[in-house]
């Protein structure tokens, strides 16, 4: 059965998924330089070990993605035009339907390689239904950022969250584990494993 | 040279060093059951591995300890009498001077095995000076709780913090990494290693 997953969400040792002042020149904001170094190293040819295994599992059986608007791009408020097409160039790595949650709607558009971006102001559960349909039986990934993941955790709509903790300190920014109340009622941690660069933990439903 | 250390401070995956409603029956509060299971397992005879190594280092070259009043006991407000002698029985595991930071003073008292508890309302740095003197050249440990450690981190008085992350979710309680501002200016993480039960990270000065 299709799962709703967060996959390889990376946070600092002090729990931040992003720093402050996210913008074009700093997509994850200031204070989190190196946050994804573990991932880039794990994506190199011939990489092995737990980091590489987790990276490879990202797009296995994945049929659609949901993200918040700030993950899609640095534009805030109304779109000045439709020139912003995401951070990922002409051929984004998704290769499936990506649903961007935003109050600032614009028409869907398709990119090379099979990625189509859709924009929706509908509630979290409605967007998820659309994504599950688009995924055609494969998993849906809730990509980020922290606020979007919190909304889906609060609504108890996530089946599995694989978290990556890296040995950096941000001090401030956007925490993943915030505004969640007692999520321990719904989730438990079923795995903890570490490379030299990153610790991987997985939350699953109780 | 003597260091000021936090040693094996244990937090949940979502960053809590204690739960809510700390009291006699639940010294670390509700929601963090099992927080120190890794430590109890590592203290068993014949235990090996990284957890056991870290436990053994706790009292190596350690000459004094500082803790907050809530770590010393469940009594809040004025002391009704002087019957509370700490959580640790007649022979506490410190075997040196322990300084309890509190506005509610009481006379120092000695326990079996060399532990003497002192009570002080003086500023963090003054209590640290006393502890360093008492330690006679050995390290001073800032034991907890979270608020006390935050005060010493804010004052940039901690040389080394070894953190233990366990695969539990608390949802709420007392966060270690809170109210700290940009501690990444003062500290970096120099080690990350994991057993099946716990991930160990060490913060050191930049």
């Amino acid at each position: 059965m299709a799962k709703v997953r967060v996959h390889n969400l990376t946070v600092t040792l002090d729990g931040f998924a992003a720093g402050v002042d996210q913008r074009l020149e700093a997509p994850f904001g200031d204070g989190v330089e190196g946050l994804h170094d573990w991932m880039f190293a794990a994506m190199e040819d011939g990489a092995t070990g737990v980091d590489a295994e987790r990276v490879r599992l990202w797009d296995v059986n994945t049929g659609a993605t949901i993200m918040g608007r700030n993950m899609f791009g640095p534009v805030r408020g109304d779109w000045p035009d439709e020139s912003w097409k995401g951070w990922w160039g002409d051929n984004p790595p998704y290769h499936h339907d990506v649903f961007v949650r935003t109050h600032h709607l614009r028409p869907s558009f398709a990119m090379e390689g099979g990625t189509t971006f859709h924009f929706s102001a509908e509630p979290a559960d409605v967007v998820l239904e659309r994504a599950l349909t688009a995924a055609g039986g494969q998993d849906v990934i809730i990509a980020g950022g922290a606020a979007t993941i919190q909304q889906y955790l609060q609504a108890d709509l996530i089946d599995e969250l694989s978290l990556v903790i890296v040995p950096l300190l941000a001090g401030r920014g956007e925490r993943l584990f915030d505004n969640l109340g007692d999520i321990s009622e719904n989730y438990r941690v079923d795995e903890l494993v570490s490379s030299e660069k990153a610790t991987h933990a997985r939350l699953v439903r109780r």
Side-chain angles (χ1 to χ4, degrees), chain A:
Chain A
M1 195 179 140
K3 284 183 180 172
V4 181
R5 292 158 45 210
V6 176
H7 195 88
N8 288 344
L9 184 84
T10 305
V11 298
T12 61
L13 191 70
D14 47 351
F16 294 97
V20 292
D21 193 16
Q22 289 176 268
R23 59 194 187 278
L24 183 60
E25 301 76 22
F28 285 86
D30 294 325
V32 291
E33 290 73 20
L35 187 67
H36 294 100
D37 283 359
W38 75 272
M39 192 183 286
F40 299 131
M43 290 168 73
E44 285 177 12
D45 286 345
T48 58
V50 59
D51 295 348
E53 286 165 26
R54 299 305 169 107
V55 164
R56 273 195 294 272
L57 288 172
W58 171 60
D59 59 0
V60 173
N61 196 42
T62 303
T65 293
I66 295 172
M67 64 177 62
R69 193 216 196 174
N70 295 357
M71 180 161 173
F72 175 68
V75 181
R76 301 292 184 265
D78 290 334
W79 300 103
D81 54 52
E82 291 173 7
S83 60
W84 180 263
K85 306 277 189 188
W87 300 101
W88 305 276
D90 293 335
N91 188 345
Y94 301 101
H95 314 299
H96 54 221
D97 287 314
V98 175
F99 296 82
V100 180
R101 297 193 66 219
T102 174
H103 294 291
H104 300 276
L105 300 179
R106 50 184 272 196
S108 299
F109 61 87
M111 304 288 283
E112 285 175 35
T115 298
T116 298
F117 289 103
H118 306 280
F119 300 83
S120 173
E122 293 171 299
D125 58 338
V126 176
V127 175
L128 178 56
E129 283 305 316
R130 282 189 203 287
L132 283 163
T133 301
Q138 291 190 301
D139 294 349
V140 171
I141 285 195
I142 313 294
T148 299
I149 294 172
Q150 285 168 20
Q151 287 166 10
Y152 280 93
L153 281 173
Q154 287 159 352
D156 196 19
L157 291 172
I158 289 175
D159 296 310
E160 190 178 299
L161 187 157
S162 74
L163 180 71
V164 184
I165 302 169
V166 294
L168 294 172
L169 297 169
R172 57 222 161 112
E174 296 186 25
R175 277 189 199 281
L176 172 62
F177 290 114
D178 217 352
N179 314 309
L180 290 174
D182 193 0
I183 59 164
S184 63
E185 289 178 7
N186 297 333
Y187 296 97
R188 64 186 173 83
V189 183
D190 81 335
E191 199 175 55
L192 184 72
V193 60
S194 199
S195 74
E196 285 180 12
K197 293 192 178 71
T199 294
H200 300 262
R202 188 171 59 186
L203 277 63
V204 295
R205 288 187 184 283
R206 280 199 177 274

